[in-house]
Amino acid sequence: MIRAGFRLLGGTGWQGGRNYLSNLFAALAAQPTRQVQPVLLVGAGEDPLDLALDGVEMVTPDPRLDSRFARRLGRVMKLAVRRNVIESHLLARANVDVLSHTGPVGGRIPTIAWIPDLQHRHLPHLSSRYERFMRDLLYREMLRDAVITIASSEAARADLVRFYAADPARIRVLRFVSQPRERGAPIALDDLRARYPIPARYFHLPNQLWKHKNHDLVVDALRHAPGVSVVATGPREDYRHAHMYEALQARIAKAGVGERFHHLGLVPFADLVGLMRHSVAVINPSRFEGWSTTVEEAKSLGKRVLVSELAVHREQAAPRASYFATDDDDALAMQMIDAWAHHDPAEDARAAAAAAEALPGRTRAFAETYEAIVLEAVGRR
């Protein structure tokens, strides 16, 4: 079995990275004939939390060689001599055959890079000039040195070719599939309402509160959709834009929808799934996505989705999707009113059953695609 090494994606602060790895690890564990053993290197101060899954080997590297200083020194080595000696040593001690979803380290161990999207190219005003420069520098290095680079969608793959003249023969598209990961029976709505101050009927907006996720549009749409409520979940911090939560609360107050927009912050994943299951529909108004976790989670549950008009949202092709322009709060309001008025729990139940029946096959295809990428990468070494 091939041992594929991983690090936490985006460190401890990016919930989307954790969700991505959790979905991938769960898909690999479900394979009847497994070919890839995930090995997660957990550094000092990092907590694997929900990534401590069956079938995932946890390795804690020597803290002297995995400190912040050691990681920076290894990065300098990589830039100077094209080999991160420190990381190579740690990977060798963990008996890793291939390093996946991270920047290349050089040396014996082949690397599978992961570039999920090029948001900084499409929405440059949301990042500083320095951040854009450094991201371009990193991505060019990854494309140059990695054996294979994974893109999360055909849209992202096309961007890599367009912006960096990447070699299409060394890019593979891996569309992840979300797993509900529920233990036991689904959480009842009454139990959720006992835990959180939410109404009996609501739309679910499960996005991290980052500026490009476009929560403001939903607040504005609520002004034109009387009687409709929204429950939002997700971390409230945007590392690029301080005070996002305070600004959102101010906008909610100004719009006069404080009784109908409820932001719960980050909730346990099981609660998130429960909130999504019991919602009228799921909303993703984002201005940019690589491959939307929100849409994937809704697809796996059979939920109706109201999503922004993005090429990648079309590519995801949720069966019960309707689309609106990212600046058109009137269009979103009309869709919310329609979904609210015509919500049919029986239809939801049928769609959920169909989604549950299709999920094992979708998950298997996800795992098999990744396994093929790993086998190709090791074969190219």
Side-chain angles (χ1 to χ4, degrees):
M1 188 178 299
I2 298 172
R3 293 171 61 80
F6 294 83
R7 291 279 194 176
L8 287 182
L9 298 179
T12 59
W14 183 30
Q15 187 62 36
R18 284 185 176 276
N19 291 341
Y20 181 98
L21 287 181
S22 183
N23 288 318
L24 177 57
F25 293 165
L28 293 172
Q31 286 290 83
T33 55
R34 293 177 55 197
Q35 301 184 72
V36 175
Q37 169 64 59
V39 179
L40 182 63
L41 280 72
V42 182
E46 296 179 343
D47 190 338
L49 296 175
D50 52 333
L51 296 179
L53 303 170
D54 291 341
V56 179
E57 181 179 329
M58 298 287 174
V59 173
T60 302
D62 184 337
R64 295 169 298 177
L65 299 177
D66 200 42
S67 64
R68 179 177 297 181
F69 173 78
R71 289 196 188 190
R72 288 179 176 174
L73 179 59
R75 180 69 185 137
V76 170
M77 290 179 179
K78 174 61 174 65
L79 294 174
V81 299
R82 296 188 67 169
R83 184 182 180 192
N84 185 334
V85 177
I86 296 174
E87 188 77 354
S88 294
H89 177 70
L90 294 177
L91 294 171
R93 292 191 65 176
N95 197 25
V96 165
D97 299 307
V98 61
L99 183 61
S100 190
H101 286 70
T102 188
V105 299
R108 182 185 65 83
I109 298 174
T111 300
I112 300 170
W114 181 54
I115 302 179
D117 63 69
L118 299 184
Q119 182 200 132
H120 71 294
R121 287 282 189 156
H122 287 271
L123 303 175
H125 59 286
L126 296 184
S127 303
S128 68
R129 182 177 299 179
Y130 174 78
E131 184 179 16
R132 297 196 303 271
F133 172 79
M134 294 303 294
R135 197 169 293 258
D136 278 339
L137 198 67
L138 175 62
Y139 287 174
R140 291 184 190 280
E141 179 190 6
M142 292 166 71
L143 288 163
R144 180 194 69 201
D145 292 353
V147 175
I148 292 173
T149 296
I150 289 175
S152 291
S153 62
E154 288 294 345
R157 177 179 184 166
D159 278 349
L160 291 175
V161 175
R162 172 189 172 192
F163 290 110
Y164 301 128
D167 180 2
R170 294 171 56 200
I171 303 174
R172 299 291 177 268
V173 174
L174 179 65
R175 303 180 181 91
F176 70 83
V177 175
S178 291
Q179 308 296 315
R181 304 196 303 276
E182 292 170 302
R183 298 179 184 274
I187 299 175
L189 178 59
D190 286 345
D191 291 337
L192 291 170
R193 295 191 69 198
R195 297 177 201 174
Y196 305 106
I198 60 173
R201 297 189 75 205
Y202 57 87
F203 289 96
H204 189 197
L205 174 57
N207 277 350
Q208 189 151 353
L209 188 55
W210 285 354
K211 196 163 188 176
H212 73 280
K213 294 297 187 180
N214 206 17
H215 288 65
D216 289 352
L217 187 78
V218 180
V219 174
D220 294 344
L222 279 177
R223 295 185 297 116
H224 311 300
V228 171
S229 294
V230 171
V231 171
T233 56
R236 294 171 173 172
E237 299 80 25
D238 186 338
Y239 71 97
R240 295 168 298 187
H241 303 93
H243 312 300
M244 279 291 297
Y245 181 68
E246 292 81 358
L248 178 67
Q249 290 301 312
R251 193 180 193 99
I252 291 169
K254 184 177 180 180
V257 297
E259 297 298 316
R260 297 190 288 123
F261 191 104
H262 311 267
H263 200 296
L264 307 182
L266 182 63
V267 301
F269 188 78
D271 290 1
L272 181 143
V273 173
L275 289 165
M276 189 173 285
R277 280 193 185 279
H278 294 296
S279 67
V280 171
V282 175
I283 302 175
N284 185 5
S286 181
R287 295 183 180 277
F288 191 83
E289 295 285 346
W291 190 255
S292 172
T293 301
T294 294
V295 173
E296 278 305 309
E297 288 167 348
K299 283 169 62 177
S300 293
L301 296 174
K303 292 301 298 185
R304 180 174 181 175
V305 293
L306 314 181
V307 293
S308 50
E309 182 64 83
L310 302 177
V312 72
H313 279 162
R314 291 284 186 179
E315 186 179 333
Q316 287 188 268
R320 305 173 69 199
S322 54
Y323 303 86
F324 54 86
T326 56
D327 293 309
D328 195 340
D329 55 295
D330 285 326
L332 174 56
M334 293 300 295
Q335 291 185 18
M336 293 170 73
I337 291 170
D338 179 73
W340 191 270
H342 297 99
H343 179 233
D344 182 357
E347 180 185 2
D348 263 9
R350 290 190 295 270
E357 184 178 354
L359 184 58
R362 295 175 59 232
T363 300
R364 183 169 59 252
F366 172 37
E368 288 176 349
T369 300
Y370 177 69
E371 287 181 337
I373 292 171
V374 170
L375 290 170
E376 182 182 2
V378 173
R380 286 188 177 193
R381 176 168 52 185

